[in-house]
Amino acid sequence: QEHEVEKMFTLKPGRLPPADVKNIIFFVRPKLELMDIITDNVLREDRGRSPQRDFHILFVPRRSLLCEQWLKEQGVLGSFIHREQYSLDLIPFDGDLLSMESESAFKECYLESDQTSLYHAAKGLMTLQALYGTIPQIFGKGDCARHVANMMIRMKREFPGSQNSIFPVFDTLLLLDRNVDLLTPLATQLTYEGLIDEIYGIQNTYVKLPPEKFAPKKQGEGGGKDLPTEPKKLQLNSAEELYAEIRDKNFNAVGSVLSKKAKIISAAFEERHHAKTVGEIKQFVSQLPHMQAARSSLANHTSIAELIKDITTSEDFFDNLTVEQEFMSGIDTDKVNNYIEDCIAQKHPLIKILRLVCLQSVCNSGLKQKVLDHYKREILQTYGYEHILTLNNLEKAGLLKPQTGGRNNYPTIRKTLRLWMDDVNEQNPNDISYVYSGYAPLSVRLAQLLARPGWRSIEEVLKMLPGPHFEERQQLPTGLQKKRQQGENRVTLVFFLGGVTYAEIAALRFLSQMEDGGTEYIIATTKLINGTTWIKSLMEKLEPAPF
Amino acid sequence: MSRVRADEEEYWHSSKFRAFTFDDEDDELSQLKESKRAVNSLRDIVDDDDDDLERVSWSGEPVGSISWSIKETASGSTSSLDGRDSSLQKGSSSYAALPKQASSYSLSSLFKGDGRESGFLCTTHLCLSLSALTDTGVKNFAPELRRPKAEYKDYSSDWSPKDTVRRMQRGKVCSLERFRSLQDKLVLLDEAVAGHDGNVITAVLIFLKRTLRREILFRELEVRQVALCHLIHFLRETGEQKFLLDLLRFLDRTEEVALSQYREHLNIQDVEKRREFLKGCIGLPFSAEDTSHIQDHYTLLERQIIIEANDRHLEMAGQSELFRKYPRKASILNMPLVTTLFYSCFYHYTEAEGMFSSPTNLKKTFKIPDKQYVLTALAARAKLRAWGDVDALLTTKNWLGYTKKKAPIGFHRVVEILQRNNAPVQVLQEYVRLVEDVETRLNLATKYKCHDVVIETYRDLKDRVQLTAYKCKVERGSAEEEKINGILSNTVRN
């Protein structure tokens, strides 16, 4: 509006909403589905109206020749006066989190061998380096990581002028392929933020919640009965003091924090009775806005926690978690699981089934052919044969596969990397395994071991995981080389290629905060994911486009 | 990191951007705004030789800056690819991308008076591609479009393949038409692949696809796996099925051919046609396991078509009481197998095995496992409250003629299903009693108030304490209370 923008519309097929404006700009990702919608919009535009409206299109992050060709074939390309790009690679989500928000990155890299998203990742990293200095050390694990590192080195070579004179903020860059750790996203996240995402789905830091628990309680009048029907929408980030404190805690530790906070706040409100002098009252009043904010934040999170608790205490959640934990600790991964069978029989959501079956497959380095065939048959018979396409995609991505060579590497990996911890302290954690109540995310373990004692100690295991591991150095001009102060933390940028979960982020934040950790982590990724959104991105779209 | 932090904090605290009507977009935009600011403060990285293309001014600045940015733009020249792609080929030279100098089209009026979202998008990188459209293009696609008078100017475009790729990576449009020999084209492709930018690779591929013979293209791609993957992806996205299949066949990727072809059925709405299509898929070279699934898919749809025609007729006629009492909610077409089985157990339970719609026929044809069958049949019969059928379903006769109750799914599941369908206690009780695990049995019996089972179980366990405690849960003076009393006094005597 500052710029005289009259209205903003979300993209949807059909006729464009009426607005008395001259120019319409489509601000889109270069995706063919979206192009179809735009085509529809443009074609339905009333030609006779005056004044004529002009169309413009802006691609984020890149102009796509494919999309333009598509628009052209639909006969609407000529209607666009401007076709531009807005090269936006990494979007800041929080003080320590950047995301490219490209949900199809994993699918593109591993299913379609399309490395465009890696190119964007490399470009994003170049931008970061231009802002925060050349990163002297690059570590990586996985094919995609190797590619990104190669591209960065190449880009640097091709533009020698890009050598900048900024003192480097990051000491190390760690590039991790998602397919090095397929296990972690499949498990149910058990941190507060992770659970909110698992249950309600966090989109661009916003979450939509069922409104019932948020009904205004104080209005006692007659109108109080009709509950709001619109979902409650909340923004979640660390600017909210309370949320910053609890987001990364295990959910079991959230309740006590909330009740403690509640006591503090009510005590603070009580203080008004003690305020006697005008000065004291004035001081109290000046604190009011802050207290009010704290109170409403507390109320919101108490409601969310209640909602989540309803689910985490349900029998099915418990059963599901039990099976997950059995698989991750290596129990009975080689036979058909009863609970999974039951879930299929009761027609639980397909994605849930796929998550469990994939988890079992990953924890067993592939399923026995017989077991795999059994699951496949049951799934196809219950959910429809067309899902054969989805199963095929999962196989291609390595999530679901027959065991080859009859060797199961997972137990060795689990033991060496200490992925399963029996004694977890959820309230006052001493290890990253608290984020999954027992399972320590493999990806984060790799980051942790890299910082100390170094990857040389785990060479054997690294060889078992897919893709190469490597180290590169980027020369810095002598003036910029760091002279490290005693006790100063190293800063590592961890880039997850193919997505990262909130629980993994929590684990890295936990490592940053460890007193003797010595390393601070900043996280970047192609997309924030959870098991559900991740599997969904790999599923074949079965519904034909609605127009 | 301190810089980022400070920036961020400032942003999170001052989210003025809540003012928009459409929430979904506004979070995106505010994020965009933030990163735009970051980008803004950034200079000479990758694009050092094209400064004004990458540098941007963003909404943090006063509107006045727009006109500034437009001035900047005016000096930058751009071009578009479309000219080149036009279907009416005149000769390659005229298709070379046409750059233009400052366009007379007034951008400032565009932004000032009536811009909608435009204000947000005032990047300096506002290339006017409009003018680059060839005449034919504009006429064909948007005849009434206002066209600016732009000065066209020839320019020498003898970039090397490498430069061309690099320019394309930067979002500029280059003419590829000058690469005429196969050798040149392949060098270009290799350069594009080396750049890893899928957008460019695809663009080059589109060009090659248009200008090379299929056999040659396929042959060259076979040794260029990365490019090959991009082409396959591209063909899949744009739905060029025939070309894709030809390519896969050439590469001998038979299973992929099969799956690709099979995928097509999803686009066929008409069931008859879909059935025909699936029939054609059966012979495709799937893996052994998949072949049987595809065969089943076809058979299932074939059955569904028969059943649907028959049942629709029945329902319309209004003769069948079952259909009158429980009208069908939806057609059975394209439903999964288990759903079909449920349907058949619901409407066609008693039919002879010879009928296509009978459950036993379905079970045989598709080799449905016992467990699955019992579960589905149970759910269907319980829904109809046909308790007799439930009983029969769970009763097996051995060869001596003795009958025995058996449930492949476990009796606790039977109870669950019956309970969900509001089975009366008498019915429920019978199956609760058969639950093997004592603890589960007690739990279920207590939960569903099957007093007799609870009492008998405690009796068998000789648990006086629990039994006495349970007395307060049954109605006073009821038969159950009497039973408890009887047992209690009985045990005293023992």
Side-chain angles (χ1 to χ4, degrees):
Chain A
Q1 271 151 346
E2 281 170 52
H3 297 280
E4 298 175 42
V5 173
E6 292 252 335
K7 263 182 192 163
M8 287 178 49
F9 303 110
T10 34
L11 197 59
K12 53 176 174 266
R15 202 175 249 263
L16 283 170
D20 196 16
V21 291
K22 183 87 186 74
N23 293 283
I24 289 170
I25 298 189
F26 296 101
F27 208 0
V28 291
R29 292 270 181 191
K31 290 231 171 68
L32 289 185
E33 306 97 86
L34 300 178
M35 295 307 115
D36 285 338
I37 299 177
I38 291 177
T39 304
D40 195 47
N41 284 168
V42 173
L43 289 179
R44 283 167 189 246
E45 173 73 359
D46 185 3
R47 292 271 174 221
R49 64 170 287 144
S50 69
Q52 276 280 316
R53 296 200 281 197
D54 290 342
F55 296 105
H56 313 270
I57 192 161
L58 230 117
F59 293 110
V60 184
R62 293 291 310 279
R63 253 174 99 160
S64 145
L65 297 165
L66 180 57
C67 287
E68 294 189 0
Q69 163 122 359
W70 189 256
L71 288 175
K72 182 164 169 275
E73 275 165 23
Q74 309 295 315
V76 294
L77 188 68
S79 309
F80 293 99
I81 296 183
H82 295 94
R83 298 188 306 277
E84 295 311 327
Q85 66 180 359
Y86 170 25
S87 14
L88 173 79
D89 292 315
L90 286 162
I91 306 166
F93 264 59
D94 218 319
D96 58 353
L97 180 60
L98 298 155
S99 170
M100 288 165 58
E101 283 308 281
S102 136
E103 59 268 354
S104 52
F106 184 83
K107 183 179 181 190
E108 281 168 13
C109 289
Y110 297 102
L111 231 50
E112 287 149 0
S113 312
D114 177 344
Q115 287 156 352
T116 310
S117 54
L118 300 182
Y119 172 78
H120 291 308
K123 274 198 88 167
L125 282 165
M126 295 313 280
T127 313
L128 269 186
Q129 292 194 87
L131 287 168
Y132 300 112
T134 307
I135 305 171
Q137 267 188 316
I138 304 175
F139 290 92
K141 169 74 189 163
D143 287 319
C144 293
R146 183 70 263 184
H147 269 299
V148 172
N150 287 349
M151 274 187 269
M152 286 172 67
I153 292 162
R154 199 181 127 121
M155 285 176 187
K156 192 168 179 240
R157 201 176 50 229
E158 283 176 7
F159 302 101
S162 65
Q163 185 62 264
N164 62 42
S165 51
I166 298 168
F167 198 79
V169 172
F170 302 111
D171 299 280
T172 312
L173 166 67
L174 171 59
L175 295 160
L176 281 177
D177 271 33
R178 186 72 271 175
N179 88 328
V180 169
D181 174 14
L182 293 171
L183 198 166
T184 306
L186 292 170
T188 305
Q189 311 171 66
L190 295 175
T191 56
Y192 181 56
E193 188 168 38
L195 274 169
I196 297 179
D197 187 39
E198 293 276 349
I199 298 169
Y200 298 106
I202 300 176
Q203 273 195 331
N204 309 324
T205 74
Y206 278 93
V207 66
K208 282 183 183 163
L209 298 160
E212 294 79 23
K213 295 249 179 188
F214 298 93
K217 280 169 195 149
K218 293 222 166 149
Q219 282 132 5
E221 73 270 24
K225 279 231 165 158
D226 40 26
L227 290 166
T229 44
E230 286 282 299
K232 168 98 175 167
K233 201 167 170 184
L234 279 179
Q235 189 175 24
L236 301 172
N237 63 49
S238 51
E240 193 182 342
E241 214 177 292
L242 176 63
Y243 188 61
E245 189 180 337
I246 57 175
R247 65 192 310 184
D248 298 324
K249 286 196 183 306
N250 186 294
F251 184 65
N252 284 336
V254 168
S256 60
V257 176
L258 288 178
S259 71
K260 229 179 275 166
K261 287 278 156 179
K263 274 179 205 142
I264 294 172
I265 287 182
S266 47
F269 273 99
E270 278 310 303
E271 258 175 41
R272 69 175 185 274
H273 300 304
H274 306 300
K276 290 201 176 78
T277 68
V278 175
E280 278 170 346
I281 292 171
K282 195 176 171 194
Q283 203 199 338
F284 178 80
V285 169
S286 74
Q287 282 173 351
L288 260 181
H290 178 72
M291 283 163 62
Q292 298 280 17
R295 188 166 69 176
S296 80
S297 149
L298 181 69
N300 279 340
H301 287 290
T302 313
S303 303
I304 297 174
E306 273 174 32
L307 284 168
I308 292 175
K309 189 139 192 141
D310 286 347
I311 287 163
T312 53
T313 49
S314 73
E315 204 176 316
D316 192 60
F317 185 88
F318 180 78
D319 290 345
N320 186 50
L321 195 64
T322 311
V323 172
E324 278 182 13
Q325 302 215 330
E326 274 173 14
F327 287 160
M328 288 189 289
S329 52
I331 300 168
D332 284 344
T333 50
D334 58 349
K335 49 187 179 211
V336 174
N337 182 281
N338 273 331
Y339 175 73
I340 298 182
E341 269 202 313
D342 281 0
C343 288
I344 297 176
Q346 291 171 50
K347 260 201 143 178
H348 282 215
L350 177 60
I351 290 186
K352 175 184 169 178
I353 310 290
L354 294 177
R355 261 178 94 160
L356 282 169
V357 175
C358 290
L359 183 71
Q360 183 175 359
S361 168
V362 173
C363 290
N364 200 47
S365 305
L367 295 167
K368 280 187 187 154
Q369 192 67 49
K370 220 178 68 196
V371 177
L372 181 63
D373 289 346
H374 179 85
Y375 281 139
K376 269 176 135 181
R377 176 167 281 274
E378 296 252 300
I379 289 171
L380 294 178
Q381 289 190 340
T382 309
Y383 297 93
Y385 289 105
E386 57 276 16
H387 292 290
I388 208 168
L389 298 166
T390 294
L391 293 178
N392 225 278
N393 286 349
L394 294 175
E395 270 190 64
K396 248 198 220 162
L399 278 162
L400 190 64
K401 57 177 186 187
Q403 203 176 55
T404 44
R407 233 186 102 67
N408 180 1
N409 284 331
Y410 179 69
T412 322
I413 297 171
R414 187 185 72 233
K415 277 174 210 143
T416 320
L417 299 181
R418 293 182 299 119
L419 297 185
W420 185 259
M421 307 296 275
D422 276 320
D423 45 344
V424 205
N425 188 339
E426 290 168 347
Q427 306 291 332
N428 297 300
N430 50 12
D431 182 74
I432 54 169
S433 57
Y434 84 94
V435 297
Y436 286 97
S437 290
Y439 165 73
L442 194 158
S443 54
V444 183
R445 203 55 115 196
L446 287 181
Q448 188 183 13
L449 288 166
L450 176 66
R452 191 183 296 168
W455 274 0
R456 206 155 300 159
S457 60
I458 50 165
E459 284 275 337
E460 285 304 308
V461 171
L462 283 175
K463 275 185 202 145
M464 286 178 190
L465 298 169
H469 57 281
F470 59 88
E471 178 184 352
E472 298 282 350
R473 277 171 197 283
Q474 302 200 87
Q475 274 303 321
L476 289 177
T478 36
L480 293 178
Q481 271 160 24
K482 252 193 190 176
K483 288 161 205 83
R484 193 159 296 286
Q485 305 279 313
Q486 192 66 37
E488 190 189 347
N489 276 348
R490 297 174 60 81
V491 180
T492 297
L493 173 68
V494 188
F495 202 126
F496 289 87
L497 300 162
V500 69
T501 64
Y502 287 100
E504 287 173 294
I505 296 168
L508 282 170
R509 285 186 183 142
F510 170 77
L511 290 179
S512 295
Q513 283 157 12
M514 286 227 294
E515 272 173 25
D516 54 346
T519 310
E520 222 177 285
Y521 293 95
I522 304 294
I523 301 134
T525 184
T526 49
K527 172 82 189 166
L528 288 158
I529 56 167
N530 60 44
T532 304
T533 57
W534 189 40
I535 296 282
K536 210 177 212 163
S537 77
L538 291 170
M539 285 174 77
E540 200 69 32
K541 281 183 213 81
L542 295 176
E543 297 297 317
F547 46 87
Chain B
M1 247 2 250
S2 57
R3 249 173 85 190
V4 161
R5 286 249 164 86
D7 241 335
E8 223 102 65
E9 232 107 273
E10 178 200 61
Y11 156 62
W12 291 124
H13 286 304
S14 63
S15 42
K16 303 170 197 128
F17 274 62
R18 297 282 304 131
F20 298 123
T21 27
F22 282 87
D23 291 336
D24 277 312
E25 283 208 55
D26 97 48
D27 8 349
E28 254 218 324
L29 256 158
S30 40
Q31 281 152 13
L32 296 185
K33 179 202 168 208
E34 170 60 13
S35 57
K36 196 78 185 186
R37 193 188 299 160
V39 178
N40 203 3
S41 59
L42 159 178
R43 276 153 187 273
D44 57 7
I45 23 155
V46 230
D47 265 323
D48 51 327
D49 54 342
D50 267 311
D51 243 352
D52 48 348
L53 280 181
E54 284 290 318
R55 206 191 307 144
V56 279
S57 67
W58 188 239
S59 52
E61 258 132 306
V63 189
S65 69
I66 293 167
S67 46
W68 166 81
S69 69
I70 284 154
K71 261 178 254 146
E72 287 268 306
T73 315
S75 58
S77 68
T78 29
S79 54
S80 155
L81 192 69
D82 329 295
R84 175 177 74 62
D85 268 281
S86 164
S87 49
L88 284 164
Q89 303 242 350
K90 285 185 207 149
S92 60
S93 68
S94 59
Y95 293 101
L98 298 165
K100 50 114 205 21
Q101 273 191 326
S103 135
S104 58
Y105 183 62
S106 164
L107 265 176
S108 42
S109 73
L110 192 157
F111 279 110
K112 276 204 171 144
D114 38 27
R116 199 159 61 82
E117 281 152 51
S118 42
F120 281 94
L121 312 172
C122 61
T123 62
T124 48
H125 186 182
L126 277 172
C127 321
L128 289 179
S129 17
L130 168 67
S131 53
L133 291 167
T134 57
D135 294 359
T136 51
V138 174
K139 271 179 199 141
N140 281 345
F141 300 135
E144 63 279 65
L145 202 71
R146 182 155 51 103
R147 251 176 8 100
K149 281 177 243 152
E151 281 181 64
Y152 295 90
K153 194 180 87 176
D154 276 330
Y155 70 109
S156 59
S157 56
D158 48 356
W159 291 304
S160 70
K162 195 168 186 167
D163 289 336
T164 307
V165 166
R166 219 179 284 171
R167 284 182 67 82
M168 286 169 75
Q169 283 185 344
R170 247 167 272 144
K172 295 194 190 173
V173 178
C174 296
S175 155
L176 301 176
E177 302 291 336
R178 349 173 271 101
F179 299 99
R180 294 201 182 173
S181 72
L182 177 62
Q183 188 57 35
D184 283 352
K185 286 174 185 171
L186 291 176
V187 172
L188 181 69
L189 180 61
D190 289 337
E191 272 306 325
V193 169
H196 291 288
D197 183 349
N199 191 28
V200 177
I201 299 174
T202 308
V204 172
L205 283 169
I206 294 173
F207 167 65
L208 293 189
K209 179 171 161 272
R210 204 158 38 84
T211 57
L212 284 179
R213 277 224 316 277
R214 268 187 200 195
E215 305 81 71
I216 299 172
L217 178 65
F218 289 177
R219 190 189 67 213
E220 295 301 336
L221 285 180
E222 202 175 3
V223 291
R224 291 172 174 81
Q225 284 299 316
V226 177
L228 180 65
C229 291
H230 279 272
L231 184 63
I232 292 174
H233 184 195
F234 165 74
L235 294 171
R236 206 163 267 162
E237 288 273 297
T238 50
E240 285 186 61
Q241 188 69 7
K242 197 171 166 312
F243 197 96
L244 175 65
L245 292 178
D246 284 348
L247 175 59
L248 292 175
R249 254 182 232 121
F250 174 84
L251 298 166
D252 235 16
R253 296 203 193 164
T254 50
E255 233 184 290
E256 258 179 81
V257 174
L259 282 167
S260 257
Q261 203 151 342
Y262 170 72
R263 180 183 285 114
E264 272 293 281
H265 87 266
L266 293 166
N267 299 325
I268 304 173
Q269 295 301 322
D270 182 84
V271 268
E272 283 295 338
K273 282 192 192 134
R274 190 184 261 213
R275 185 180 60 97
E276 274 312 302
F277 186 86
L278 284 174
K279 191 175 185 180
C281 286
I282 295 172
L284 295 173
F286 290 102
S287 68
E289 182 70 15
D290 287 355
T291 304
S292 77
H293 292 314
I294 305 295
Q295 166 85 51
D296 281 355
H297 191 173
Y298 164 72
T299 320
L300 179 63
L301 186 60
E302 192 184 32
R303 291 292 171 81
Q304 287 172 338
I305 292 174
I306 298 171
I307 299 173
E308 176 68 22
N310 198 21
D311 288 1
R312 196 185 311 130
H313 181 76
L314 269 176
E315 195 174 32
M316 302 275 264
Q319 300 283 318
S320 157
E321 198 191 330
L322 195 56
F323 282 104
R324 244 181 304 147
K325 212 167 157 194
Y326 304 96
R328 303 186 309 154
K329 287 195 190 88
S331 121
I332 194 62
L333 295 172
N334 296 318
M335 291 293 167
L337 175 61
V338 171
T339 314
T340 313
L341 180 66
F342 180 88
Y343 176 92
S344 128
C345 286
F346 197 88
Y347 290 112
H348 305 279
Y349 194 61
T350 49
E351 275 168 26
E353 202 186 310
M355 301 285 287
F356 276 150
S357 48
S358 91
T360 25
N361 189 306
L362 284 176
K363 181 174 187 248
K364 273 233 170 91
T365 314
F366 295 98
K367 299 193 194 70
I368 299 172
D370 243 8
K371 221 169 157 178
Q372 187 68 267
Y373 178 79
V374 170
L375 208 62
T376 313
L378 195 65
R381 299 325 287 171
K383 197 166 181 107
L384 284 170
R385 308 180 69 78
W387 311 124
D389 289 340
V390 171
D391 186 65
L393 189 67
L394 299 171
T395 308
T396 46
K397 257 191 195 147
N398 71 7
W399 57 279
L400 281 174
Y402 295 117
T403 59
K404 198 182 164 223
K405 288 270 189 294
K406 221 180 95 189
I409 50 172
F411 280 103
H412 65 286
R413 294 288 304 282
V414 174
V415 173
E416 252 171 56
I417 293 169
L418 294 180
Q419 200 275 331
R420 232 180 290 142
N421 289 291
N422 302 319
V425 177
Q426 293 86 329
V427 176
L428 216 49
Q429 183 158 284
E430 193 178 335
Y431 300 101
V432 175
R433 190 170 283 138
L434 291 166
V435 174
E436 279 208 15
D437 182 65
V438 179
E439 207 173 308
T440 325
R441 193 195 315 153
L442 268 173
N443 275 338
L444 287 172
T446 320
K447 199 156 131 199
Y448 302 135
K449 299 202 166 52
C450 303
H451 300 308
D452 278 351
V453 183
V454 180
I455 296 165
E456 284 159 30
T457 311
Y458 282 138
R459 181 193 63 201
D460 296 346
L461 289 172
K462 298 198 188 319
D463 193 337
R464 284 187 66 90
V465 185
Q466 288 289 352
L467 196 56
T468 320
Y470 198 74
K471 212 163 80 169
C472 60
K473 292 204 179 144
V474 300
E475 260 177 70
R476 183 144 299 181
S478 64
E480 286 87 9
E481 196 189 29
E482 227 160 84
K483 193 168 171 183
I484 295 177
N485 286 335
I487 296 166
L488 286 175
S489 49
N490 207 354
T491 23
V492 171
R493 245 173 276 145
N494 283 344

